[in-house]
Amino acid sequence: MGKKVNLSKFIRNNRKYDIKTNPVDVILGRITKSFFNEAQQREINQVEDIIERELNEDFTIGGHPKYDELLSKVKSYKDFSVYRVSDVKLCSIFVDLRNFTKRALFIDSANVETIDDIANLKQKAISTWIKLARYYDGHIHSITGDGLMVLMDKLYEEDEEWTIGARSLLFSLRVLESADILNDYLKEFLKEKGKEQYANNPENLINIKIGIEYSPKTLMNPQGVIVNDKGENKAVGEVKATSFEIDFSAKMLSKYKEALNGLNDNDAKNNRLILFGNQYKELMQFLDSEIEVKKVDSYKRTMYDVTETRDIYSLDTKPIKRNIFTIEDVADICDVEEQNEDFARASVIALQDSGEIKHGN
């Protein structure tokens, strides 16, 4: 049974989701405007403007801008359990650079990369992902070692929940594509070092792991300690997103190698897979005729004499990478239906009349 998704309303209030220019190409300088017609050049300019605007705005990494004020209200330890917001609907996306710890292990013995080279490569990747997260209206909840965690929630309260998952997919696809481009840079680096032979082994190149889960009942809660600053109690810490699904988006990446081994073709296997759980699968309703979703394994735990099981799935993005550019393209591979256009138009007018303004537009 298809979900009713009002994409007309969503796109009219978020025009960038109808742009077909790939933001990865703009961020990593893969576009030369002279090769495009006037309409395409305007789109490229739009993407450049969006990225510049997002990076010029004051934004933070950590917590969540919609809920960070909760921490400012905490004046005593009991307040940590008072100032909370429950049942927040969002997607948690965990992105991890595979084998970067191993790369650092061989800086002396292999004599190929220096620690500065590895740090520069990691910075290039992380900064690209942050720009992509901002482009798709995501919030960087944390930078964790060799990766980052991104939260996607509704842009408007009236938005369909499916659009959260669709934006998460668009972001994840662009991250995987960015890894392919960064590998081109890495191959050029190896060539300049006289080590071109190492570029033929995928183990020497960048490989990205991505896990997504939809969390329909997330708790946004302040965490930290109370300090006394010039006679005034204040909390030092940050607001965290708490739910099983939040942690699960990272935990499922332990099954990445198993999912990678399940790919049954001889093409390059790096930077193709997205792992996700039951909740995201149910939210998106991917069409079997359009894209292959495989069950990788089950996550099973027992506590208080109760056993809970969650499935882990993989999606091979090979057929859709470099193809999906708009949220309507995502809808084409999912069991969703556009709502009536008249209803959509009325909803847009009502939303505009309310004066609600979305961050980033």
Side-chain angles (χ1 to χ4, degrees):
M1 180 177 176
K3 298 184 184 69
K4 297 292 185 181
V5 176
N6 195 336
L7 287 180
S8 297
K9 180 182 76 171
F10 181 86
I11 291 170
R12 291 183 187 193
N13 285 279
N14 305 279
R15 288 293 186 182
K16 66 182 173 184
Y17 288 97
D18 199 33
I19 293 175
K20 293 179 172 58
T21 298
N22 193 330
V24 170
D25 294 329
V26 176
I27 292 170
L28 293 176
R30 301 279 283 211
I31 282 182
T32 304
K33 292 182 186 177
S34 58
F35 291 111
F36 293 91
N37 61 39
E38 188 174 334
Q40 291 170 321
Q41 288 183 30
R42 282 198 300 270
E43 271 208 345
I44 295 169
N45 290 336
Q46 281 182 285
V47 174
E48 290 176 337
D49 290 344
I50 291 167
I51 294 168
E52 182 179 2
R53 182 171 67 242
E54 292 293 345
L55 293 181
N56 284 339
E57 285 190 1
D58 183 25
F59 74 96
T60 60
I61 293 176
H64 194 291
K66 291 183 181 178
Y67 307 101
D68 284 344
E69 66 173 16
L70 296 172
L71 187 66
S72 67
K73 297 178 180 180
V74 173
K75 304 299 180 185
S76 66
Y77 279 101
K78 69 176 182 179
D79 289 341
F80 281 110
S81 60
V82 173
Y83 295 108
R84 297 176 169 183
V85 177
S86 301
D87 296 342
V88 177
K89 302 179 187 304
L90 54 79
C91 276
S92 173
I93 310 153
F94 198 90
V95 184
D96 188 51
L97 275 166
R98 191 166 180 246
N99 290 338
F100 257 65
T101 301
K102 185 170 76 171
R103 297 184 87 90
L105 178 64
F106 291 92
I107 57 172
D108 294 321
S109 56
N111 195 30
V112 175
E113 295 173 295
T114 67
I115 196 68
D116 285 331
D117 293 331
I118 293 173
N120 291 339
L121 187 58
K122 186 191 297 187
Q123 165 58 21
K124 185 75 170 177
I126 296 289
S127 64
T128 299
W129 302 344
I130 289 174
K131 292 174 184 177
L132 287 169
R134 294 286 292 176
Y135 185 87
Y136 289 111
D137 299 288
H139 174 69
I140 299 89
H141 193 52
S142 61
I143 298 177
T144 53
D146 297 336
L148 74 164
M149 177 172 280
V150 175
L151 302 180
M152 296 272 188
D153 59 348
K154 289 183 179 183
L155 302 183
Y156 294 107
E157 188 57 37
E158 294 84 357
D159 284 346
E160 311 289 343
E161 293 172 38
W162 178 87
T163 62
I164 304 173
R167 287 163 43 226
S168 300
L169 179 62
L170 286 168
F171 165 71
S172 299
L173 285 169
R174 305 290 84 91
V175 168
L176 292 176
E177 291 167 357
S178 75
D180 293 336
I181 297 172
L182 291 172
N183 273 332
D184 290 339
Y185 295 145
L186 181 54
K187 290 175 183 178
E188 186 62 29
F189 166 84
L190 293 172
K191 181 179 179 181
E192 292 174 357
K193 284 265 190 173
K195 309 287 186 179
E196 189 173 4
Q197 69 273 22
Y198 295 126
N200 297 322
N201 184 349
E203 287 297 313
N204 298 326
L205 302 178
I206 294 173
N207 192 10
I208 304 297
K209 297 189 291 185
I210 298 180
I212 308 176
E213 185 58 308
Y214 175 60
S215 178
K217 296 182 179 180
T218 314
L219 175 68
M220 305 302 293
N221 59 300
Q223 295 180 345
V225 295
I226 301 294
V227 300
N228 190 281
D229 182 19
K230 298 177 182 178
E232 181 183 356
N233 285 347
K234 68 177 183 180
V236 176
E238 67 176 342
V239 172
K240 301 299 290 185
T242 304
S243 71
F244 165 79
E245 291 82 8
I246 297 293
D247 294 333
F248 192 42
S249 65
K251 288 283 193 298
M252 68 177 68
L253 294 186
S254 65
K255 298 297 180 181
Y256 176 81
K257 192 171 183 179
E258 188 173 336
L260 199 68
N261 292 336
L263 294 176
N264 54 11
D265 61 36
N266 295 321
D267 290 345
K269 295 184 178 182
N270 284 3
N271 307 315
R272 285 171 52 177
L273 288 178
I274 295 174
L275 301 184
F276 53 89
N278 300 74
Q279 295 277 11
Y280 186 73
K281 182 176 183 289
E282 183 177 341
L283 175 70
M284 297 302 290
Q285 294 290 309
F286 291 114
L287 292 168
D288 294 337
S289 60
E290 299 295 332
I291 196 164
E292 184 178 18
V293 172
K294 289 183 179 180
K295 180 180 174 181
V296 179
D297 203 348
S298 293
Y299 178 90
K300 183 181 294 186
R301 294 293 185 273
T302 300
M303 193 170 184
Y304 305 127
D305 298 325
V306 175
T307 299
E308 287 282 354
T309 302
R310 299 291 185 274
D311 293 329
I312 300 171
Y313 299 90
S314 69
L315 184 155
D316 183 3
T317 66
K318 178 185 173 182
I320 56 176
K321 275 173 64 178
R322 308 300 306 182
N323 292 326
I324 291 185
F325 297 104
T326 72
I327 202 163
E328 288 183 312
D329 293 322
V330 179
D332 288 341
I333 62 171
C334 300
D335 186 13
V336 297
E337 299 176 19
E338 177 71 52
Q339 280 189 343
N340 178 270
E341 177 69 13
D342 292 336
F343 175 82
R345 187 177 296 108
S347 299
V348 172
I349 293 172
L351 191 59
Q352 290 172 338
D353 290 343
S354 72
E356 186 173 0
I357 300 174
K358 188 191 77 64
H359 153 75
N361 272 352

